[in-house]
Every structure is written in structure tokens, then in C-alpha cells.
Amino acid sequence: MRTAVPLLEVRNLQRFFPIRKGLLRRVVGQVRAVDDISFHINRGETLSLVGESGCGKTTTARCILRALKPTAGEVLFQTAEGDVVDTAGMPKRALKPFRHQMQMIFQDPFSSLNPRMTVFDIVAEPLLASGVKKREQRRRRVEELLELVRLRPEFMQRFPHAFSGGQRQRIGIARALALNPSLIVADEPVSALDVSVQAQILNLMLDLQDELGLTYLFVAHDLSVVKHISDRVAVMYVGKIVEIAETKTLFEAPKHPYTEALLSAVPKPDPRLRSERIVLQGEVADPAHPPAGCYFHPRCAHAIDRCRRETPRLEEVEPGHYVSCHRAREITLQGVAAQTSNA
């Protein structure tokens, strides 16, 4: 039974990238990659972060892990000792004791593994960096990790080129688990894999979550994958979170027009439903020059004058269902389940 104890809480997170021009490289603007977002992840659950390419999902993940330093905001993490620390403003040296508690699974298993290192060296590298100097101790731990991800321990002396994409991703997962983290940030971990292999990796991640009590921040764009693995879903658009809800609620009854458009693109087995796809007009807003008011209003069929003037805030419109839309309580939108039942 999963408990509702927040492991991670993000408050008003921002990450801007400067735009420089001229000989003196003056700052003439900012790319608002992550623009004032807030959410939390309960201990033992999976929160998926979804949206189009370039919406700020990966930047958010890297800010949480402090691979990038946030421009502003707080990232509150509950440590194994029960203390709550703000990793957003910490100097790099102070972060080291918490690094082992937050680990990442990378998108591309072909480029995230060093081709010159054996599986043993790859998986044992975090152990060596954390002070485990005895080779025999590292070897035993690598054997345990390989068995945990359903790989044979004798594979540890092989190089990455000897493995398939799915096996490489299992090696990446084993490396992420080496230091017994409580939070795993998975950045599109199955997008580079075949569909049949995707299911195997997702099921492995779910099994590991149950066995080890892991908490996932799952970054993805494939809503079919998200529906399978998530407890809750946060939808991003141009650096902002526009909707957060439990997975079943969001898929059946979205409250934001952008979420509705994303759900309409989910492949459906009934060909009669293809004509119901919502094709958004216009282009995605430029994060360097976002429009006034709601960033989505130039593409929204439900926009009114207020949407063009006022920036909506993320508000709870139903228990556990947060939406950033002025008209969330007025309009009725179609979800995946509703469209299927109308066939």
C-alpha cells in the first residue's frame, strides 16, 4: 500500500537560459524553459511529466537532480534520515551526501553506456565513486543488481556492444539502482526501444518499484506508456504545468484543452475514431517570447478575452485535480474513455 508522504516537492521552479547577442555577448532576452512550476511526488508513487518536445520536461528533471542549477524556486527532498532539504540552492559540495538518493535512467541506452567499459565497470562506477574500494565487495553488489534486472551475472565482463537495446537499458537501470536510491528520474527510458521491449522494461520498472519501494518521476511523450505506468500525470506546455490529476481521471475527463488534444492523438484500435483527432492550429508558443495571458490561448478553440489578458494559475477544480485554465469549470472536454464509448 503506497503512502501519501511527499518525497519530493517542487515549488515555483524556474530555469531560464540567457539569449546573448553582439560582440560583447550582451543578454538581450531569456528562454523560459521552465516557467514557475509546482508539484509534488508522494513516496512510492509514479508521477509522469508529459508534453510535446521542447516543453521543458527534461530541463525540469535535470533541475531536480541539479544537473542544471535552477534560476529560482525550491526543490524540497526528504532524505533517508527524514530531513527535508532544498537542493535547488545548495552548493555542489553540499549536494554530494544526497546524490546517491536521487538517480537517473537515461533515454538512449546506446549512448548512455561507455563502449570502452565492461558491464561490471559501468554498474560498479557509482559504488567506486561513493567510496566502495574493495573490488570483491563491488563484484558481489553488481551480481545482485544484474539478477535484480533479470540479467545473468556472467554478463558482467562483456562490453555494451554485445547487448540488445533492451538489455542495455536493463544495465542502465542496474547502474541507477547501485546506491539504493529512493527517487528515480526516468527520462524517456523506453522511447528508443521496440514496442515489445518497451513493455518488458516498463513491467520491470513496476516490479522493482514494488520490491524496493522506489519513487519515479517518469518523463515521457507517449501517453500509452504513461497510462500503463503512472499513478498521476502532470501535463506541460511551453514551460508551464497546465494540468495535474490521477491517471484514470485525466484520461477519462481532462479539464484543459491542451490535454484533450494530446489524448485525441493516442492511437485507438477502432478506425472510426480517427476523424475525432483534434488538430491544433498555429505554432507552439516561443518560450523566448511567450504570448500575454495564457500561453495556450493562440491555439485554443475555447479562448476568450480573459485568456488573452490574464495568466491562469494552477488551481484545484476537483479533489486532486489541478488545472491552469480560466474556463476549466465551464467547458466539457472529451477523454479517451469517452471517445471509445461513443463508437
Side-chain angles (χ1 to χ4, degrees):
M1 181 69 180
R2 293 175 183 174
T3 57
V5 177
L7 177 69
L8 180 78
E9 186 174 1
V10 174
R11 295 180 182 172
N12 307 112
L13 184 67
Q14 295 181 332
R15 173 61 191 188
F16 299 165
F17 294 94
I19 301 173
R20 301 179 185 273
K21 287 186 178 181
L23 185 63
L24 299 178
R25 309 301 294 165
R26 290 182 178 178
V27 176
V28 297
Q30 301 278 353
V31 176
R32 307 170 76 92
V34 178
D35 192 1
D36 193 15
I37 67 171
S38 300
F39 61 90
H40 71 275
I41 309 178
N42 295 324
R43 185 177 292 275
E45 79 165 349
T46 299
L47 174 71
S48 286
L49 204 56
V50 304
E52 295 171 282
S53 296
C55 71
K57 306 185 301 294
T58 296
T59 303
T60 298
R62 292 185 176 185
C63 286
I64 289 171
L65 293 174
R66 274 299 302 273
L68 290 173
K69 186 173 183 178
T71 303
E74 297 176 294
V75 178
L76 303 177
F77 179 73
Q78 187 182 58
T79 66
E81 295 75 27
D83 301 322
V84 177
V85 297
D86 179 12
T87 61
M90 279 186 177
K92 286 188 175 181
R93 287 185 179 179
L95 281 169
K96 188 173 182 180
F98 311 111
R99 290 288 191 191
H100 71 280
Q101 299 181 42
M102 298 183 286
Q103 293 293 311
M104 190 168 191
I105 300 172
F106 296 94
Q107 176 177 357
D108 187 358
F110 293 91
S111 62
S112 63
L113 304 181
N114 190 331
R116 296 178 179 269
M117 296 173 68
T118 64
V119 171
F120 170 79
D121 292 329
I122 291 170
V123 178
E125 190 173 22
L127 298 169
L128 187 61
S130 66
V132 181
K133 302 300 183 183
K134 293 184 179 180
R135 183 179 177 86
E136 181 59 26
Q137 189 176 351
R138 296 200 306 273
R139 187 190 65 78
R140 289 197 302 269
R141 178 57 177 158
V142 171
E143 284 184 356
E144 293 174 4
L145 290 166
L146 291 181
E147 290 177 350
L148 199 61
V149 298
R150 322 299 192 248
L151 288 177
R152 295 166 64 180
E154 51 264 35
F155 287 171
M156 69 171 66
Q157 298 305 323
R158 298 184 183 181
F159 290 88
H161 72 264
F163 298 94
S164 66
Q167 289 175 320
R168 291 188 190 198
Q169 196 59 293
R170 289 173 188 266
I171 296 168
I173 293 172
R175 176 176 59 186
L177 296 176
L179 300 177
N180 294 313
S182 54
L183 175 67
I184 296 286
V185 177
D187 184 12
E188 304 266 13
V190 298
S191 62
L193 305 176
D194 294 338
V195 175
S196 59
V197 180
Q198 286 184 8
Q200 296 173 19
I201 298 299
L202 292 174
N203 290 332
L204 172 64
M205 291 181 66
L206 290 171
D207 290 343
L208 292 173
Q209 185 175 39
D210 291 335
E211 290 176 33
L212 305 177
L214 299 172
T215 302
Y216 292 136
L217 174 61
F218 193 89
V219 178
H221 66 272
D222 188 336
L223 290 175
S224 300
V225 169
V226 166
K227 187 176 183 180
H228 179 68
I229 199 171
S230 309
D231 295 302
R232 291 187 299 129
V233 180
V235 181
M236 287 192 73
Y237 182 77
V238 193
K240 287 186 176 291
I241 289 181
V242 297
E243 188 165 5
I244 304 176
E246 291 185 0
T247 304
K248 185 175 186 293
T249 301
L250 185 128
F251 273 76
E252 293 183 357
K255 297 291 185 183
H256 197 284
Y258 177 64
T259 307
E260 180 189 40
L262 286 181
L263 292 175
S264 74
V266 176
K268 305 172 187 68
D270 191 336
R272 292 173 294 175
L273 297 177
R274 292 176 183 171
S275 61
E276 297 182 16
R277 178 170 179 178
I278 299 171
V279 180
L280 297 174
Q281 303 301 313
E283 299 294 331
V284 177
D286 182 358
H289 303 94
C294 174
Y295 288 2
F296 186 63
H297 85 257
R299 309 178 73 191
C300 181
H302 305 278
I304 56 177
D305 288 340
R306 184 185 179 190
C307 302
R308 300 177 180 90
R309 297 192 312 266
E310 300 178 25
T311 301
R313 299 177 64 182
L314 195 67
E315 297 180 338
E316 190 173 18
V317 295
E318 292 177 357
H321 197 154
Y322 297 82
V323 187
S324 177
C325 178
H326 294 306
R327 304 194 64 196
R329 293 180 174 87
E330 305 171 18
I331 57 179
T332 301
L333 304 176
Q334 294 291 312
V336 171
Q339 289 173 345
T340 304
S341 63
N342 292 335

